[in-house]
Structures are given as C-alpha cells and as structure tokens.
Amino acid sequence: MKLQLITAALVATIASAPLAAADYKPVTDARLANPEPENWLLTKGNYAGWSYSPLEQITTANVAKLRPVWSAATGVLSGHEAPAIVNGEYMFVATPHNHVFAYNARTGKPLWHFQREVPEGIGALHRTNRGVSLYGDKVYVGSVDCMLSALDAKTGKLLWDAQVCDWETESAYITSAPLVVKGKVIIGPSGGEFGVRGFLKAFDAETGKLAWTRYSVPAPGEKGSDTWPQDGKWKDAWKHGGGTMWMPGNYDVKNEVIYWGVGNGGPWMGDQRPGDNLYLASVLALDPATGDIISHFQYHWNDSWDWAGMNAPTLVEYTKNGKKVSGMISAQRNGRLYWLDRDAKGKITYNKSEPYVTNTVFTSVDPKTGRPTYNMDAKPHTGETHTYCPSLWGGKDWPYEAYNPKTGMLYVPYNDNHCLTLTGIIQPIIPGQWSAGADINKLDLSVKEGFDHIGGIQAWGVDSGKLVWREKYPKSWNFGSILTTAGGVLFAGGTNDRMFRAYDAQTGKLLWEFPTPSGIISPPSSFSIDGKQYVAVVSGWGVDAQWIQGKMHTLAGWDEKVPEGGSVWVFALGD
C-alpha cells in the first residue's frame, strides 16, 4: 500500500464551531453494554442487535402527528446505508465515498465533516458505508480503501489510521460498520466476488494497534479444513474461498461471546471447491479477547447461490418446551427463518427453522441438525445453466430485522417471488477483477409469472414460531432496515416510492408516511433530548436497489429509476 494512500485523509473545513467539549459524554464499556434510551450508540441500538428503542413518547395513537424537525443534504450520491448514531447532542452519519458528517442532533447544525479521498483504480463493487462506531471520545469508521480511522468525536480530527486490508493486492474493501467490544474495534472487509478469503481484525481502540486476526476459511491443518479440497484440481480453493465478514456482529455481554455472520463462497460455483466449506454461510461464536472460534452453525453447505450468511442472528430469549432459553433468531438470505440455541459458553445448536419466502433449492431440512438436502437442478454448476429462487439477493439481503420485547415479535424486511438464472464459468483470480464464476453482465433476474408482490414486511412470533402479519409492496422490493419502539410503532423505508412509514407493530396497520427526496436504504434510529423523542433516517437510493429497479423496469414496467442524493431527516411530534 503506497504511503500516500495511508495518509491521504482529508478533513474538510469545520462547518461551524463544535459543541463545547464538556457536552460530549465519553462512551464507555458500561454505556455500550446498557445504552441509555435517549441515545443511539450502536448500529442496531444495542449489542443484542434488536434495532429497538425503549422510548415510548411516540405511540400508535399520536405517530400521525410526526413532522420534520430538520433535514440536511449530504451532497453525496449512491446508496446511503448507515444509520444516524447519536450521543447526547452529537449525531454522526457515514455516507458513500468515505465521508463522515457530524450534526447537532437537536437542530441539524453542521459541526464537522471528514472525508478520505477514494484512490483511483479501486475496484470496490459498493462504495457505500454502513456506519460508524463510538468509544471513549472517538468515532471509528472503515473506508473502501481498506483503512480503519479513529476521529476526534468533537472536532472530526484524524487521530490514527490502521490498515485492515490491501485493496491493490487483495481486492478487498470495507463497507461494514465496526463493532467495539471491551476496548477493541473489530471489522472485516468485503470482496468475496474478487477472491478474498474472509477475515476479521481487532484493533486497540486507543492506539490502533492490531490485537488479533480471525480468518473464516481455515488453512490446511486447521479445524474445519477437511471440509475443503485437500488435493487435486481445487486443493488451493481455500486461499480464495470467500466467506467475507462484511456486516457487524452482535455481542452477548453477560457471557462475553461475539456472534458474527460469514458470507458466501468464492467463486459462487460450489463444484469449484467441493465439500461443506466451513465456515461459509455460517454464524461463528468468537472469543472477543482472542478471536478464537468457540462454536458455529452453518445454514447451508457448499454455498453455490451467493446466499451470504453475513447478518449475525439477533440475540433473544424464547420459549422452548415451556421454558425460556437463551437463543438467537435470524432471517437468512436462503429464505429460512432460524431459531438457534446458545449456552453460556457460546455453543450454538440448531432448534428449528421455517421458510419465510419460496425456496426452490432445499428439498428438505433435517429437523435435528438443520442441514438441508438439495434439488441439484437448482444448484449452479460450472459449464451449466441453472435457475434458483430466491435469487442471489435472497429472502432478505443485508438490511436489519428488528425485535420488540413488548410484542414478542421479530420484524423481517423481505423479498419474495424472484429468481436468478446463471451459467457457471471458470474465471482467473486477478486483483481488482470480478471472479465469482459467473459473468456479471449475464445475471438473469426473473420474477414469478403472475406475482402479486416482491417486497414487504413480515412479523413473526418469537415464541410461537408463527407468522402474525404481513405487509406486501405490490410494486417494490424492500431494501430497508426496520426500527421498532416501546411505543408500539414500527418504522421502515426501503421502497422505491421514497416513503418513510410508521406501522402499528402489533397489527401491521399503516399509521403514517412521509415522502423523502430519494429512496431509503439506511436503518432508522431514535433518540431524545430534554424529554422530546426524535426519529432519524437517512435517505439516499443507489447500489443494488438502483440496479434492480432498472431490471424491474424491463420485467414489469416499473419506473426506471429512483432519484439519488443523500439527506438526513429528523422527525418529532408536532404541537
């Protein structure tokens, strides 16, 4: 990595004088373990990944009175996928192309703006960013050019840089929000379609010094390596096997165990890496101090569909055999909703799973182990053309589900009735070049004949394991995360009509909607200042959502494009 790229971080002019230093309350381990309801300190609100706000001033009875309080344009195009993170009156928003903006959360007044230049020639598929993390008096953010940066929360000044990967030689890039656990900043890159072998790295939050590295694909001789080819034509498949860990994990504070999702195989064609291929399409239980793997569960073996398991399961308790047990629940890209048990040491065991969208690949699922059997006519293969459903974007892509402990429901942003046809090929691994084993220009997306919808929201009873209600979007996919609150309200964007919506979390009834200038991909968040509750969301369409919108124009006559352009929106109850 050239020295100038490591040091090429530009801090833009301070837009206005920052709040007084005394107004910024340092973020401690204790605060992250038990966040105050008035703040939104973590990407998903808490370590368990609930995307839930305990605030209850905004209710189903008054949410129709929501009004915009302030908005601010980011001046950045492409898909905005990061939530607004709030500590006191400081709000931090990351955007595509390596920007971080700080605002006064009450008024929207700009405080500072940080930008790292994107180097020429970088081959990142998605130049987006899914958020910052906070610890002490610092803001941490990853960049598409493989750097982890620590910024002064009050001024935006760059304090240190750490190199996570090398985009020039590895073709890796970062889109994930970091996760801070007990003084370590943990992050992994994207790049499975470029032949990257997935990994996480942990850095000291104060100094940026590397603490540990954990690869998701075992090297020969390591535990799990026997699930990869040991000899013959594909014996080096593990070196470029994918399994990138490109979404933040969740953390069991009580038992000190991290749960992290692992992505798809590389290349996509499983016959080019015969075997189960641990730990692709899995959830890993990790020791935060060392990165050691404690346990795992693999959702499907020999991944051949780009059904990444990158989203960590939501940590919950649910009823099993009449008793409350510690568990996890996750709507996976393969179209099944999983209930997994976890013990105090981090051991993961399969409980059950249910289909939540159509899956033409799984012919059965073992009720004891969760291992699926396959319809081989729907399994992509080198030199053959196959069709499978759901398509590579899955029943649910990266957007976050939400859990409400008051309703006992998990809310899933889903997409159904879509399929993909592709032909498997062999592609060389060349830095910066697509090498997924399928021509990127010949990914044939299709929809089921006579389909009545694709996107929507599903509400599942965590204890009952039953679907409670469903909202369907007849003319849109759903690319938005969900926020639910103690006031019984569910907030969601994700649709191509640019609307930000509020639903009754108990019944699914639409209660309020507001049109933003662009489509919403980012997760909503909620906070309060001086007793007044606010709801924040970042609008800004792009990346996969925009690509699919163009495809749906051809397939179903939908509008060809959704306007791009990022903006932050903050709402509160009107008088």
Side-chain angles (χ1 to χ4, degrees), residues 210-266:
L210 179 66
W212 53 257
T213 301
R214 166 52 53 200
Y215 283 93
S216 61
V217 175
E222 295 180 342
K223 186 176 181 179
S225 63
D226 58 338
T227 66
W228 289 79
Q230 301 294 297
D231 50 35
K233 185 177 182 180
W234 308 115
K235 66 184 176 72
D236 291 330
W238 66 275
K239 294 180 180 179
H240 305 285
T244 49
M245 303 164 81
W246 52 275
M247 294 293 293
N250 295 326
Y251 177 49
D252 178 347
V253 176
K254 178 181 178 182
N255 297 306
E256 298 187 1
V257 178
I258 296 174
Y259 295 91
W260 214 288
V262 183
N264 56 277

Side-chain angles (χ1 to χ4, degrees), residues 10 259 268 272 326 498 546 563 565:
L10 302 179
Y259 295 91
W268 290 349
Q272 296 182 27
S326 295
R498 306 177 291 113
Q546 188 71 285

Side-chain angles (χ1 to χ4, degrees), residues 52 131 162 229 371:
Y52 166 78
R371 183 182 177 88

Side-chain angles (χ1 to χ4, degrees), residues 76-116:
V76 181
L77 297 178
S78 192
H80 287 54
E81 299 184 351
I85 301 295
V86 179
N87 182 24
E89 291 196 28
Y90 284 79
M91 175 186 287
F92 307 100
V93 176
T95 78
H97 308 295
N98 293 353
H99 295 261
V100 180
F101 295 87
Y103 303 96
N104 182 308
R106 185 201 300 265
T107 66
K109 184 179 182 180
L111 301 178
W112 52 259
H113 168 216
F114 170 86
Q115 180 185 4
R116 173 185 294 283

Side-chain angles (χ1 to χ4, degrees), residues 6 9 81 131 166 176 212 228 231 242 258 329 360 387 449-450 488 522 571:
I6 297 178
E81 299 184 351
D166 188 336
S176 177
W212 53 257
W228 289 79
D231 50 35
I258 296 174
I329 187 168
T360 63
T387 300
E449 185 175 352
S522 80
F571 303 88

Side-chain angles (χ1 to χ4, degrees), residues 234 267-269 271-272 381-384 422-428 434-440 442:
W234 308 115
W268 290 349
M269 304 303 117
D271 65 294
Q272 296 182 27
H381 195 91
T382 305
E384 299 177 4
L422 55 80
T423 303
I425 58 176
I426 295 177
Q427 293 179 306
W434 172 273
S435 57
D439 189 334
I440 192 173
K442 295 181 181 179

Side-chain angles (χ1 to χ4, degrees), residues 414-416 453-457 471-474 476-478 558:
Y414 79 96
N415 295 295
D416 201 356
H453 79 293
I454 291 183
I457 298 172
E471 167 78 337
K472 296 180 179 180
Y473 300 136
S476 182
W477 287 55
N478 188 351
W558 293 3

